[in-house]
Amino acid sequence: MEMGTFLSDWQHCDQLSTFMARMISHNRADPVRHSNFLSSALNELLEMSFRSGIPDGRLGCTVYRDGPTERVKLSFPCPSTQRQFYREAVSRTNNGSAYARYLDAIWTELAPSREVILLDLAINFDAEIRLEERPSPSITLVVDLPLEGIVN
């Protein structure tokens, strides 16, 4: 999807995440539960790319399945000035201070930041997150979501 089109309406985040989650979850053990979890995770990722606010370029989202895990690859425009932010934010999801950072952020921030979204996915969805840097102007977030293994 063209980023300009995506950015034209905040509801695109919810609409795309709901549609994709329902399509992907149809043959899981508990399709409704799986769809709810996947929709929430996708919505967070799409909102993060929405907040980048870069109207030039394309948004791409691909989902792969490997057993109980869904791999989401989300590509979106990212100017060189923001690349370091994403490098650091992704690395913080993989270190021992992620939980403390997450708790501090949710207690002190009024609205979730892009870093908090990544921390939320890592902590509450047990997601593994990495960054694939593409030639400018885009990046790709790779998020492995073990949704079939989440226990209520």
Side-chain angles (χ1 to χ4, degrees):
M1 175 183 275
E2 293 295 327
M3 279 302 287
T5 302
F6 179 63
L7 294 174
S8 70
D9 187 353
W10 176 257
Q11 288 298 314
H12 287 149
C13 297
D14 181 55
Q15 292 164 344
L16 287 170
S17 63
T18 300
F19 174 77
M20 289 176 65
R22 286 182 180 167
M23 296 298 291
I24 292 165
S25 301
H26 77 282
N27 63 351
R28 285 299 199 178
D30 185 345
V32 173
R33 180 180 173 277
H34 190 273
S35 178
N36 284 338
F37 281 130
L38 182 56
S39 177
S40 294
L42 286 171
N43 190 55
E44 293 295 319
L45 288 167
L46 289 168
E47 285 183 12
M48 189 175 53
S49 65
F50 189 95
R51 289 182 184 157
S52 74
I54 309 297
D56 299 323
R58 297 184 58 84
L59 173 74
C61 186
T62 308
V63 181
Y64 303 91
R65 178 176 291 173
D66 183 20
T69 302
E70 307 294 348
R71 172 171 284 174
V72 178
K73 293 181 91 171
L74 182 70
S75 300
F76 57 95
C78 179
S80 58
T81 56
Q82 291 184 22
R83 285 179 180 258
Q84 187 61 30
F85 162 80
Y86 283 104
R87 283 184 203 111
E88 292 172 6
V90 167
S91 74
R92 287 183 192 119
T93 67
N94 299 312
N95 68 29
S97 67
Y99 188 70
R101 279 188 77 76
Y102 177 70
L103 290 178
D104 183 53
I106 61 174
W107 283 104
T108 59
E109 295 183 26
L110 295 176
S113 69
R114 292 172 294 168
E115 181 182 0
V116 171
I117 289 170
L118 292 174
L119 289 168
D120 176 53
L121 291 171
I123 292 163
N124 294 316
F125 288 85
D126 200 24
E128 291 183 22
I129 304 167
R130 64 185 171 85
L131 182 67
E132 288 180 356
E133 295 198 47
R134 305 182 152 278
S136 227
S138 68
I139 60 169
T140 299
L141 289 171
V142 180
V143 182
D144 289 337
L145 298 159
L147 299 179
E148 286 283 284
I150 294 177
V151 177
N152 291 337

